[in-house]
Each structure stands twice: as structure tokens, then as C-alpha cells.
Amino acid sequence: MTTHRTSGPQAHGTKSALTQQLETTLPLYQEILRGLPVGIVVLHLENPRDVKSFRITDVNPAGALLTGATLEDLRGRTLAEFPKLLKTRLPLRCLDAFQSREPRNLGEISYGDERIREGIYAVQVFPLLDNFIGVAFENVTERRQAEQSLHQSEERFRLLVQSVQEYAIINLDPAGNVVSWNKGAERLKGYRAEEIIGKHFSAFYPPEDVADGKPQQILEEAAQRGHSEDEGLRVRKDGSRFWANVVVTALRNDKGSLQGFAKITRDMTERHGKEESLAKAKDLLELRVEQRTTVLARVNHELRTEIAERVRAEEQLRASLDQLRALAGRLQSVREEERKSIAREIHDELGQACTAIKMDLALISRKATKRQTRLLTKVDSATQLVDGMIVTLRRIASELRPRTLDDLGLAAALEGQAQEFETRTGIRCRVALPEESLVLDSERSTAIFRIFQESLTNVARHARATRVEARLEREVNQIIFRVRDNGAGFDLEAAKSRRSLGLVGMHERAFLLNGELNVESVPGTGTTLTLRIPLPPSTLPKQDLR
Ligand SMILES: Nc1ncnc2c1ncn2[C@@H]1O[C@H](COP(=O)(O)OP(=O)(O)OP(=O)(O)O)[C@@H](O)[C@H]1O
Ligand SMILES: [Mg+2]
């Protein structure tokens, strides 16, 4: 730093002491100036009548740093070289300070040129010795910009809060008095800002809540926990009520002392209404479900009872069916036995008697004289009658129970039956029998024989057939008997609906022997009956088939 020694008359006599003092303190001041964060410029007024003649004699490092210029850029230049600066209030103020010998505060100057960085500078000028002036300045640009943007953002925020319509956003002081009021608050609560600011926020609560001290409790909770949330009824200016959600937040400064509260209120009437009607609908639904469940439980109980009754009835029905079947089976065998014994009686007793009558009539005829013509005629006609009777008796006996079935076995009985059928009806009838000799018990033989009889009757009555073929086969554990005709055939379903008993009887016979009867018939192509009767090895039949 350049020093300028004064050489006024007051300096005489103490020169050496002053010089000595200066020599010790000067480096100190120089140090101070170098380290100061404030920009210091020393100006020397060369021509007291011309402000342009202020020459920069010195600048401290902060001065260069704050203006963005180098020391060389500034040092030695006169204000004449800063035309833009000449237009500011700086030169005149410097002159003023120089003349008045008083420091002058220029406040903040917005300045920048080709050497000095654009910015806001807070400037003070102060007179120094002789024609020297000091200029002290700070670059406050950043501070001002920060302040400005803070201000802008505060303003934006204020506007935002102000214009929010959906929420009432208000500030309360620590006691709960309204400090600020936004549009949403006005819309929601009906008060204009000037009507409510300064009033206590308990004005928004129903009297019963105020009596319970609720507003105060909310503030206390917010102050303690930082915030408090509540949902309930609130009151508008006109006294009407609405359902609101309210969040109160405590506002504290850096030191933590309570500054007031921010209170955000939202109208939940619609949602609350929806929730209420939803809750009502849910209750109704639950009630309906309960009612329906009761009805269902009752119906279920009734159904179970009905099902149990049905099961019981079915069991009873099955039992009666079994009994009926057993009875029918028993009746059949009794009938068969009776037929057998009646046939035998007819054949043996009545046949014998007829033969005896016939022999007696022959004797009478021999003993009579030739003149006894009337007697002889009577005996002849009686003999013919007896012959006819014998034929009839044989036929009846055979129809009741063919002797061959009991005497010669099933095969012979089937063949006999086929022959008789063919003779009687003219329909060709053949029976194919197994090669090897088979033994079959009376029950099974009778069943097969009777089924054959009934099927031949049906052929004669319904089939208009020209040929019948029967086949008896033995497999490992069953007997198969098949009767096939080439007749008209019939519709099985239609036949079932008729109240005829022939086919039913055949099925029943098969069933009683644990067997089954299968009927296949296609109209126009004939009918085939297939009977299968199981043969348990332990109960092997004793009767010879042949
Ligand atoms: N071989 C057959 N060819 C054509 N139709 C037949 C034959 N067998 C049975 N049908 C038909 O099936 C029906 C039922 O036969 P089913 O033997 O049960 O009764 P039905 O002979 O009419 O009377 P019934 O009770 O006296 O035997 C017959 O009415 C007939 O129409
Ligand atoms: Mg029949």
C-alpha cells in the first residue's frame, strides 16, 4: 500500500517521534486493510474543482475481489476513466464528504461496467487526510438476490395458500386467535377475513364441543405432539354444520418457542355421507344376510328331514320290492311244483283211468252180440271220446309241465318245445345245444324253458317271423341262452310303456337267479333275447342237460 506523508506545520518538531510511531503502526494498518473483508478504495482528489480528477491511489485485496477487477485494473486510474461511474451519485458524494469532512452513506448502488462486475454495492465514503477520500463497500448482490427470491417464494406461497379453495388454511396465534385467512376458509366457513381475524377459533366448533373444552384440547395436543388431527362436526358463520377433517400443526421458531398454529380444514361432508350410507347399506346387507341365513338354515333343515324321510321311504320301498320279488319267486316255484304235480296226476291218474275205461269198453264191445247194434254204436262213440280225452289230457299235462323237462332234461325239453312250435305255427324253429353234456339244476332249467316258451309265444303273436334260432351255451361260470327271430322287431321304449307282463316276467326270472335278460330289437330286423345266468361253482347243478 502506498503511503502519503503529510508535511503540515503541525508536524514540525515532533517529526522524528511521529516518524518513529508511523514506522511501527503502518505495517499494522496495512495488515488490517489487507485482511478486511470490506472493499476499501483510497481516492486522491487531484483537482478540487473536478470530480473526474479523483484518482484511485490504493485498493485492498477485498476491493478487487468484490468487484471482480484486478488491483492493476483499478490502481492509478482517475474517475474520468469510469464514465459510467461518473453518472452515479458516488463522485458527488465523495466531493461532499471531502468538503464537509463528514462520512457519507450512499446506501446501495446497482452498478457494473467493463472493469467492475455487475452487482449491488453498499457504499460509504469517508474523508481522509488532505485530499484523500476513503470508499468502503460491500458486494450485497447475493444477499439481495437471496432476499428477493425468499420474498418471491414467500409471496408465491402466500398466494398459493390464499387461493386454495378446497382447504381452509389459517394461522392461529399461540392462544388460538385467527391470524390469517384464505379463500378456502372463506368458502368453507362463510366468514370474510376481516370478520374473523383476531377472533378465537372456537367459533368454528359446536357449542357442546366448546363446553367440553375441545378446541383447547386440540391446541394442547398440537403443542405437545407437534400436530393434532380430528374429524367431526364444525359450524359455519350461518350456524349450519358440516363434517370436517382438521389438522392443527404447531409452528415453532428456530429456538423452539411456540409461534402459533397452522390449521387445515377439509370438508368431508360428502365423503362422510357416503361412508354413512355405505355403513347403512352394510348394516342392511348384514341384516339381509342374517335373514337369508335363517331362512336357508330352516330350508336346509327341512330338506335334510325330507331327504332322510325319502331315504327311509326308499329303503322301505326297496325292502318291499325285495319281499315282493321273493314272494313272486316263491309263487313261481310253488306254481311250477303245482303244475308238475297236476300234470303228473292228470297223466298218471286220469290217463290210467281213461285207459281202464277204454279196456272196459273193448270188453263190452267183444261181449255184445251183433244184434246189439245200438249198444255197439254207443261203445264205439264212447271209445272215441275216451281216445280224444287221452289226447287232451296229454296236451294239458304237457302244457302244464312237459314231462321231458323233468325226465330227460332241459335240452330235450327245448327241442321238444321247438318242434311243437314249428308244427303248430309253421315257423321254422331250431335249437343249437352245447357239444358237451351239461348238468343244470331244476330252478335254472325251468327258468330257461319258461323264457323260451314265452319268447316263442311272442314270436307267434307279434313277430310275423319265418325263422327262430335258439342257442344254449355254457361259459366258464355262466349259461348263455339266446333266442333270435327274423320278424318285425319292435320299439323297446314303446313296449315298456305298455302294461304287458311277458317281458317283465322274463326279466324277473333272470333277476331271481342273479342273471340278466337283454333284449335287442330294431323294427324291421327282428328281435334277439339274450339271457345270462351265473353258475357259481360251489352250487353246480346236478341235473343232466341231455
Ligand atoms: N319277438 C317279438 N317280435 C316283435 N314284437 C315283439 C316281440 N316280443 C315282444 N314284442 C313286442 O313287445 C311287446 C311286449 O311283449 P310282452 O311279452 O311283454 O307282452 P305281450 O306279449 O303283448 O303280452 P303278454 O303280457 O301276454 O305277454 C309286445 O306287445 C310286442 O309289441
Ligand atoms: Mg308276451
Side-chain angles (χ1 to χ4, degrees):
M1 192 167 198
T2 317
T3 50
H4 298 270
R5 296 209 173 98
T6 53
S7 53
Q10 64 269 54
H12 287 289
T14 54
K15 192 176 176 182
S16 62
L18 193 65
T19 308
Q20 216 177 348
Q21 197 186 345
L22 265 176
E23 269 167 11
T24 30
T25 55
L26 207 59
L28 272 178
Y29 292 133
Q30 285 174 337
E31 248 349 272
I32 290 168
L33 274 181
R34 241 198 306 278
L36 263 185
V38 178
I40 303 284
V41 178
V42 181
L43 299 176
H44 181 251
L45 184 62
E46 314 226 310
N47 176 359
R49 281 180 306 252
D50 183 10
V51 287
K52 285 189 279 203
S53 70
F54 271 121
R55 186 181 294 281
I56 300 172
T57 57
D58 209 356
V59 181
N60 73 342
L65 198 72
L66 293 176
T67 53
T70 60
L71 293 176
E72 291 69 39
D73 270 346
L74 303 174
R75 253 184 217 149
R77 297 195 189 275
T78 61
L79 288 192
E81 291 173 81
F82 297 89
K84 219 176 149 193
L85 195 59
L86 286 173
K87 290 181 190 152
T88 68
R89 55 183 181 272
L90 179 80
L92 286 177
R93 285 307 184 86
C94 286
L95 204 59
D96 186 22
F98 170 74
Q99 285 162 356
S100 65
R101 310 305 301 167
E102 291 286 338
R104 290 284 182 255
N105 189 349
L106 274 74
E108 286 174 9
I109 298 173
S110 188
Y111 184 78
D113 59 24
E114 64 270 19
R115 293 193 189 84
I116 294 171
R117 188 195 295 138
E118 198 72 50
I120 299 163
Y121 299 90
V123 188
Q124 286 195 18
V125 292
F126 48 91
L128 295 172
L129 293 173
D130 299 337
N131 291 353
F132 288 93
I133 285 287
V135 180
F137 64 92
E138 281 177 280
N139 189 336
V140 296
T141 317
E142 278 178 18
R143 203 185 304 155
R144 291 294 164 261
Q145 276 171 353
E147 275 170 12
Q148 205 179 348
S149 60
L150 185 70
H151 177 73
Q152 280 170 352
S153 87
E154 274 176 352
E155 185 59 13
R156 270 201 301 274
F157 184 69
R158 198 184 59 78
L159 277 173
L160 178 80
V161 169
Q162 262 310 309
S163 50
V164 166
Q165 302 254 2
E166 301 303 313
Y167 297 88
I169 303 174
I170 64 178
N171 275 319
L172 304 177
D173 67 14
N177 297 311
V178 178
V179 179
S180 80
W181 195 247
N182 77 336
K183 283 234 171 56
E186 186 175 328
R187 202 179 64 90
L188 207 62
K189 302 186 182 187
Y191 296 95
R192 287 202 312 281
E194 60 271 23
E195 290 172 322
I196 194 71
I197 285 177
K199 302 241 168 74
H200 196 262
F201 85 115
S202 57
F204 314 133
Y205 286 77
E208 56 272 22
D209 281 354
V210 178
D212 285 352
K214 195 167 175 184
Q216 202 48 43
Q217 283 165 20
I218 286 174
L219 288 192
E220 277 164 16
E221 189 187 319
Q224 262 173 28
R225 294 180 40 208
H227 77 278
S228 159
E229 183 165 356
D230 178 49
E231 209 165 297
L233 280 175
R234 296 291 183 274
V235 186
R236 296 195 185 89
K237 183 186 165 188
D238 62 7
S240 61
R241 296 182 176 201
F242 65 101
W243 194 264
N245 171 281
V246 183
V247 180
V248 176
T249 309
L251 303 176
R252 294 181 182 277
N253 65 10
D254 297 347
K255 289 170 194 142
S257 87
L258 187 67
Q259 302 298 296
F261 300 94
K263 180 168 175 287
I264 301 178
T265 307
R266 194 172 159 202
D267 187 353
M268 304 293 280
T269 313
E270 204 177 317
R271 213 177 84 184
H272 185 68
K274 275 185 195 154
E275 275 169 8
E276 255 187 357
S277 50
L278 213 63
K280 269 187 201 152
K282 191 173 153 253
D283 286 351
L284 200 70
L285 204 69
E286 273 173 4
L287 188 74
R288 292 240 172 99
V289 168
E290 209 177 292
Q291 286 171 345
R292 192 57 57 86
T293 311
T294 318
V295 171
L296 277 178
R298 205 182 57 234
V299 170
N300 191 20
H301 177 74
E302 284 169 6
L303 269 178
R304 277 168 191 273
T305 317
E306 205 180 305
I307 288 169
E309 272 169 15
R310 255 189 215 177
V311 167
R312 210 166 31 245
E314 267 173 23
E315 274 166 6
Q316 279 174 357
L317 207 65
R318 206 171 300 128
S320 348
L321 192 68
D322 289 349
Q323 281 174 351
L324 269 177
R325 278 191 163 146
L327 190 64
R330 176 92 189 104
L331 276 177
Q332 238 164 32
S333 62
V334 167
R335 199 165 141 235
E336 210 59 54
E337 281 307 310
E338 297 234 298
R339 281 177 157 210
K340 203 194 280 180
S341 87
I342 291 169
R344 196 173 296 126
E345 295 270 303
I346 289 172
H347 185 271
D348 293 356
E349 300 293 321
L350 294 180
Q352 294 289 332
C354 284
T355 311
I357 291 168
K358 218 181 136 183
M359 283 167 74
D360 284 353
L361 286 173
L363 189 70
I364 293 169
S365 168
R366 274 201 308 276
K367 293 276 166 113
T369 62
K370 291 205 171 156
R371 277 179 291 146
Q372 291 177 299
T373 47
R374 274 189 67 199
L375 177 70
L376 283 170
T377 319
K378 285 277 181 198
V379 168
D380 267 358
S381 70
T383 306
Q384 274 172 25
L385 266 175
V386 171
D387 281 342
M389 239 168 99
I390 289 170
V391 171
T392 308
L393 285 176
R394 280 209 184 121
R395 188 176 52 77
I396 292 173
S398 169
E399 273 173 15
L400 278 170
R401 172 90 185 177
R403 259 195 113 104
T404 38
L405 188 59
D406 298 309
D407 298 347
L408 303 172
L410 178 62
L414 292 176
E415 276 176 332
Q417 190 65 31
Q419 195 132 37
E420 190 271 328
F421 174 77
E422 192 173 309
T423 314
R424 187 162 44 85
T425 61
I427 301 169
R428 203 181 116 114
C429 185
R430 293 284 176 273
V431 181
L433 296 163
E435 290 285 311
E436 72 276 20
S437 156
L438 285 173
V439 281
L440 207 60
D441 64 307
S442 158
E443 220 184 344
R444 287 178 171 78
S445 302
T446 305
I448 294 170
F449 181 77
R450 290 293 181 209
I451 285 173
F452 186 43
Q453 268 189 324
E454 175 59 28
S455 60
L456 289 180
T457 310
N458 276 354
V459 172
R461 282 172 67 186
H462 310 297
R464 299 190 302 279
T466 56
R467 219 167 50 234
V468 180
E469 281 163 11
R471 175 178 289 272
L472 184 67
E473 285 172 290
R474 156 134 207 204
E475 285 188 353
V476 186
N477 51 7
Q478 65 175 352
I479 286 278
I480 301 173
F481 181 57
R482 192 171 278 128
V483 183
R484 178 181 292 141
D485 70 58
N486 65 347
F490 66 103
D491 179 356
L492 288 166
E493 287 308 309
K496 266 185 204 160
S497 60
R498 271 182 229 136
R499 287 179 167 252
S500 47
L501 294 170
L503 288 173
V504 175
M506 288 193 261
H507 279 289
E508 204 52 32
R509 276 185 191 275
F511 181 82
L512 284 170
L513 294 169
N514 296 323
E516 55 168 28
L517 180 82
N518 184 37
V519 184
E520 291 166 74
S521 188
V522 178
T525 59
T527 304
T528 303
L529 301 186
T530 307
L531 170 72
R532 286 168 209 274
I533 300 175
L535 285 177
S538 54
T539 56
L540 264 183
K542 291 154 197 114
Q543 202 183 353
D544 201 330
L545 270 172
R546 286 187 183 266

mmCIF file of all heavy atoms in Angstrom, residues 454-455 458-459 461-463 485 488-490 495 498-504 506 521 527, ligand 1:
data_model
loop_
_atom_site.group_PDB
_atom_site.id
_atom_site.type_symbol
_atom_site.label_atom_id
_atom_site.label_comp_id
_atom_site.label_asym_id
_atom_site.label_seq_id
_atom_site.Cartn_x
_atom_site.Cartn_y
_atom_site.Cartn_z
ATOM 1 N N GLU A 454 -92.108 -118.359 -23.461
ATOM 2 C CA GLU A 454 -92.688 -117.009 -23.570
ATOM 3 C C GLU A 454 -92.171 -116.303 -24.820
ATOM 4 O O GLU A 454 -92.939 -115.638 -25.540
ATOM 5 C CB GLU A 454 -92.325 -116.188 -22.312
ATOM 6 C CG GLU A 454 -92.761 -114.739 -22.345
ATOM 7 C CD GLU A 454 -94.270 -114.526 -22.502
ATOM 8 O OE1 GLU A 454 -95.051 -115.386 -22.078
ATOM 9 O OE2 GLU A 454 -94.649 -113.486 -23.081
ATOM 10 N N SER A 455 -90.867 -116.486 -25.135
ATOM 11 C CA SER A 455 -90.339 -115.805 -26.322
ATOM 12 C C SER A 455 -90.952 -116.394 -27.588
ATOM 13 O O SER A 455 -91.233 -115.654 -28.544
ATOM 14 C CB SER A 455 -88.813 -115.852 -26.356
ATOM 15 O OG SER A 455 -88.379 -117.176 -26.387
ATOM 16 N N ASN A 458 -94.345 -114.922 -27.979
ATOM 17 C CA ASN A 458 -94.246 -113.554 -28.521
ATOM 18 C C ASN A 458 -93.968 -113.561 -30.018
ATOM 19 O O ASN A 458 -94.539 -112.758 -30.763
ATOM 20 C CB ASN A 458 -93.152 -112.775 -27.802
ATOM 21 C CG ASN A 458 -93.653 -112.163 -26.509
ATOM 22 O OD1 ASN A 458 -94.848 -112.233 -26.221
ATOM 23 N ND2 ASN A 458 -92.757 -111.577 -25.726
ATOM 24 N N VAL A 459 -93.089 -114.479 -30.435
ATOM 25 C CA VAL A 459 -92.792 -114.562 -31.876
ATOM 26 C C VAL A 459 -94.076 -114.889 -32.628
ATOM 27 O O VAL A 459 -94.425 -114.250 -33.628
ATOM 28 C CB VAL A 459 -91.687 -115.608 -32.161
ATOM 29 C CG1 VAL A 459 -91.531 -115.835 -33.664
ATOM 30 C CG2 VAL A 459 -90.367 -115.175 -31.555
ATOM 31 N N ARG A 461 -97.110 -114.393 -31.695
ATOM 32 C CA ARG A 461 -98.150 -113.351 -31.602
ATOM 33 C C ARG A 461 -97.755 -112.049 -32.307
ATOM 34 O O ARG A 461 -98.603 -111.372 -32.867
ATOM 35 C CB ARG A 461 -98.450 -113.036 -30.127
ATOM 36 C CG ARG A 461 -99.326 -114.099 -29.501
ATOM 37 C CD ARG A 461 -99.451 -113.875 -28.015
ATOM 38 N NE ARG A 461 -100.172 -112.672 -27.675
ATOM 39 C CZ ARG A 461 -100.301 -112.211 -26.444
ATOM 40 N NH1 ARG A 461 -99.730 -112.873 -25.451
ATOM 41 N NH2 ARG A 461 -100.995 -111.122 -26.212
ATOM 42 N N HIS A 462 -96.487 -111.672 -32.239
ATOM 43 C CA HIS A 462 -96.141 -110.313 -32.678
ATOM 44 C C HIS A 462 -95.163 -110.216 -33.840
ATOM 45 O O HIS A 462 -95.148 -109.192 -34.523
ATOM 46 C CB HIS A 462 -95.490 -109.527 -31.512
ATOM 47 C CG HIS A 462 -96.245 -109.584 -30.239
ATOM 48 N ND1 HIS A 462 -97.515 -109.068 -30.101
ATOM 49 C CD2 HIS A 462 -95.921 -110.113 -29.023
ATOM 50 C CE1 HIS A 462 -97.931 -109.255 -28.853
ATOM 51 N NE2 HIS A 462 -96.979 -109.915 -28.176
ATOM 52 N N ALA A 463 -94.302 -111.275 -34.025
ATOM 53 C CA ALA A 463 -93.124 -111.049 -34.864
ATOM 54 C C ALA A 463 -93.360 -111.158 -36.369
ATOM 55 O O ALA A 463 -92.642 -110.535 -37.150
ATOM 56 C CB ALA A 463 -91.998 -112.001 -34.460
ATOM 57 N N ASP A 485 -85.209 -114.009 -33.611
ATOM 58 C CA ASP A 485 -86.171 -114.224 -34.708
ATOM 59 C C ASP A 485 -85.895 -113.221 -35.810
ATOM 60 O O ASP A 485 -85.200 -112.225 -35.597
ATOM 61 C CB ASP A 485 -87.614 -114.131 -34.188
ATOM 62 C CG ASP A 485 -88.018 -112.724 -33.791
ATOM 63 O OD1 ASP A 485 -87.953 -111.814 -34.642
ATOM 64 O OD2 ASP A 485 -88.407 -112.504 -32.606
ATOM 65 N N ALA A 488 -90.620 -108.743 -37.252
ATOM 66 C CA ALA A 488 -90.815 -107.296 -37.454
ATOM 67 C C ALA A 488 -90.001 -106.432 -36.485
ATOM 68 O O ALA A 488 -89.732 -105.260 -36.769
ATOM 69 C CB ALA A 488 -92.295 -106.966 -37.283
ATOM 70 N N GLY A 489 -89.601 -107.000 -35.352
ATOM 71 C CA GLY A 489 -88.888 -106.194 -34.349
ATOM 72 C C GLY A 489 -89.844 -105.204 -33.680
ATOM 73 O O GLY A 489 -91.019 -105.104 -34.060
ATOM 74 N N PHE A 490 -89.403 -104.498 -32.702
ATOM 75 C CA PHE A 490 -90.299 -103.544 -32.029
ATOM 76 C C PHE A 490 -89.496 -102.465 -31.296
ATOM 77 O O PHE A 490 -88.299 -102.579 -31.086
ATOM 78 C CB PHE A 490 -91.243 -104.268 -31.068
ATOM 79 C CG PHE A 490 -90.549 -104.910 -29.886
ATOM 80 C CD1 PHE A 490 -90.599 -104.311 -28.633
ATOM 81 C CD2 PHE A 490 -89.844 -106.101 -30.026
ATOM 82 C CE1 PHE A 490 -89.981 -104.900 -27.546
ATOM 83 C CE2 PHE A 490 -89.217 -106.690 -28.938
ATOM 84 C CZ PHE A 490 -89.285 -106.091 -27.690
ATOM 85 N N ALA A 495 -92.660 -100.415 -25.980
ATOM 86 C CA ALA A 495 -93.121 -101.669 -25.356
ATOM 87 C C ALA A 495 -93.137 -101.537 -23.838
ATOM 88 O O ALA A 495 -94.017 -102.054 -23.173
ATOM 89 C CB ALA A 495 -92.215 -102.810 -25.779
ATOM 90 N N ARG A 498 -96.243 -100.154 -22.354
ATOM 91 C CA ARG A 498 -97.458 -100.999 -22.355
ATOM 92 C C ARG A 498 -97.536 -101.784 -21.066
ATOM 93 O O ARG A 498 -96.517 -102.043 -20.431
ATOM 94 C CB ARG A 498 -97.403 -101.950 -23.552
ATOM 95 C CG ARG A 498 -98.035 -101.311 -24.769
ATOM 96 C CD ARG A 498 -98.031 -102.243 -25.933
ATOM 97 N NE ARG A 498 -97.509 -101.537 -27.094
ATOM 98 C CZ ARG A 498 -96.637 -102.027 -27.946
ATOM 99 N NH1 ARG A 498 -96.186 -103.239 -27.790
ATOM 100 N NH2 ARG A 498 -96.230 -101.313 -28.954
ATOM 101 N N ARG A 499 -98.773 -102.147 -20.720
ATOM 102 C CA ARG A 499 -98.921 -102.832 -19.431
ATOM 103 C C ARG A 499 -98.876 -104.359 -19.607
ATOM 104 O O ARG A 499 -99.592 -105.074 -18.949
ATOM 105 C CB ARG A 499 -100.236 -102.429 -18.766
ATOM 106 C CG ARG A 499 -100.157 -101.021 -18.243
ATOM 107 C CD ARG A 499 -101.443 -100.626 -17.629
ATOM 108 N NE ARG A 499 -101.229 -99.400 -16.862
ATOM 109 C CZ ARG A 499 -101.233 -99.377 -15.541
ATOM 110 N NH1 ARG A 499 -101.438 -100.460 -14.851
ATOM 111 N NH2 ARG A 499 -101.047 -98.230 -14.914
ATOM 112 N N SER A 500 -98.040 -104.828 -20.532
ATOM 113 C CA SER A 500 -97.934 -106.273 -20.748
ATOM 114 C C SER A 500 -96.903 -106.852 -19.792
ATOM 115 O O SER A 500 -96.034 -106.143 -19.282
ATOM 116 C CB SER A 500 -97.524 -106.535 -22.190
ATOM 117 O OG SER A 500 -96.450 -105.691 -22.519
ATOM 118 N N LEU A 501 -97.008 -108.166 -19.554
ATOM 119 C CA LEU A 501 -96.189 -108.762 -18.495
ATOM 120 C C LEU A 501 -95.189 -109.796 -18.977
ATOM 121 O O LEU A 501 -94.339 -110.212 -18.200
ATOM 122 C CB LEU A 501 -97.118 -109.418 -17.463
ATOM 123 C CG LEU A 501 -97.985 -108.423 -16.696
ATOM 124 C CD1 LEU A 501 -99.034 -109.161 -15.890
ATOM 125 C CD2 LEU A 501 -97.135 -107.558 -15.799
ATOM 126 N N GLY A 502 -95.278 -110.150 -20.265
ATOM 127 C CA GLY A 502 -94.390 -111.211 -20.753
ATOM 128 C C GLY A 502 -92.913 -110.894 -20.537
ATOM 129 O O GLY A 502 -92.203 -111.640 -19.859
ATOM 130 N N LEU A 503 -92.478 -109.773 -21.076
ATOM 131 C CA LEU A 503 -91.059 -109.401 -20.954
ATOM 132 C C LEU A 503 -90.674 -109.161 -19.493
ATOM 133 O O LEU A 503 -89.599 -109.555 -19.054
ATOM 134 C CB LEU A 503 -90.767 -108.146 -21.785
ATOM 135 C CG LEU A 503 -90.757 -108.353 -23.305
ATOM 136 C CD1 LEU A 503 -90.631 -107.007 -24.018
ATOM 137 C CD2 LEU A 503 -89.609 -109.256 -23.729
ATOM 138 N N VAL A 504 -91.613 -108.512 -18.745
ATOM 139 C CA VAL A 504 -91.354 -108.248 -17.319
ATOM 140 C C VAL A 504 -91.100 -109.566 -16.583
ATOM 141 O O VAL A 504 -90.148 -109.693 -15.807
ATOM 142 C CB VAL A 504 -92.555 -107.497 -16.689
ATOM 143 C CG1 VAL A 504 -92.365 -107.334 -15.193
ATOM 144 C CG2 VAL A 504 -92.740 -106.154 -17.354
ATOM 145 N N MET A 506 -90.031 -112.360 -17.820
ATOM 146 C CA MET A 506 -88.738 -112.939 -18.225
ATOM 147 C C MET A 506 -87.583 -112.280 -17.457
ATOM 148 O O MET A 506 -86.690 -112.972 -16.959
ATOM 149 C CB MET A 506 -88.535 -112.767 -19.739
ATOM 150 C CG MET A 506 -89.428 -113.680 -20.551
ATOM 151 S SD MET A 506 -88.913 -113.748 -22.277
ATOM 152 C CE MET A 506 -90.033 -112.610 -23.009
ATOM 153 N N SER A 521 -83.822 -105.099 -30.132
ATOM 154 C CA SER A 521 -84.791 -105.196 -31.215
ATOM 155 C C SER A 521 -84.769 -103.924 -32.034
ATOM 156 O O SER A 521 -84.783 -102.836 -31.487
ATOM 157 C CB SER A 521 -86.194 -105.409 -30.639
ATOM 158 O OG SER A 521 -87.079 -105.688 -31.695
ATOM 159 N N THR A 527 -85.746 -109.604 -33.547
ATOM 160 C CA THR A 527 -85.517 -109.415 -32.103
ATOM 161 C C THR A 527 -84.574 -110.491 -31.595
ATOM 162 O O THR A 527 -84.656 -111.633 -32.024
ATOM 163 C CB THR A 527 -86.874 -109.514 -31.366
ATOM 164 O OG1 THR A 527 -87.764 -108.549 -31.942
ATOM 165 C CG2 THR A 527 -86.737 -109.274 -29.877
HETATM 166 N N1 LIG B 1 -90.332 -111.213 -30.842
HETATM 167 C C1 LIG B 1 -91.055 -110.077 -30.950
HETATM 168 N N2 LIG B 1 -91.260 -109.519 -32.149
HETATM 169 C C2 LIG B 1 -91.954 -108.356 -32.271
HETATM 170 N N3 LIG B 1 -92.505 -107.695 -31.214
HETATM 171 C C3 LIG B 1 -92.356 -108.252 -30.002
HETATM 172 C C4 LIG B 1 -91.599 -109.418 -29.782
HETATM 173 N N4 LIG B 1 -91.603 -109.693 -28.459
HETATM 174 C C5 LIG B 1 -92.298 -108.707 -27.879
HETATM 175 N N5 LIG B 1 -92.755 -107.835 -28.788
HETATM 176 C C6 LIG B 1 -93.456 -106.570 -28.529
HETATM 177 O O1 LIG B 1 -93.257 -106.265 -27.192
HETATM 178 C C7 LIG B 1 -94.486 -106.131 -26.501
HETATM 179 C C8 LIG B 1 -94.331 -106.618 -25.096
HETATM 180 O O2 LIG B 1 -94.200 -108.013 -25.066
HETATM 181 P P1 LIG B 1 -94.773 -108.804 -23.832
HETATM 182 O O3 LIG B 1 -94.454 -110.217 -23.998
HETATM 183 O O4 LIG B 1 -94.216 -108.142 -22.618
HETATM 184 O O5 LIG B 1 -96.282 -108.503 -23.876
HETATM 185 P P2 LIG B 1 -97.427 -109.122 -24.743
HETATM 186 O O6 LIG B 1 -96.880 -110.287 -25.458
HETATM 187 O O7 LIG B 1 -98.002 -108.044 -25.580
HETATM 188 O O8 LIG B 1 -98.497 -109.555 -23.673
HETATM 189 P P3 LIG B 1 -98.307 -110.682 -22.534
HETATM 190 O O9 LIG B 1 -98.292 -109.955 -21.271
HETATM 191 O O10 LIG B 1 -99.471 -111.584 -22.720
HETATM 192 O O11 LIG B 1 -97.031 -111.377 -22.850
HETATM 193 C C9 LIG B 1 -95.429 -106.865 -27.327
HETATM 194 O O12 LIG B 1 -96.723 -106.339 -27.172
HETATM 195 C C10 LIG B 1 -94.915 -106.682 -28.719
HETATM 196 O O13 LIG B 1 -95.368 -105.485 -29.285
#
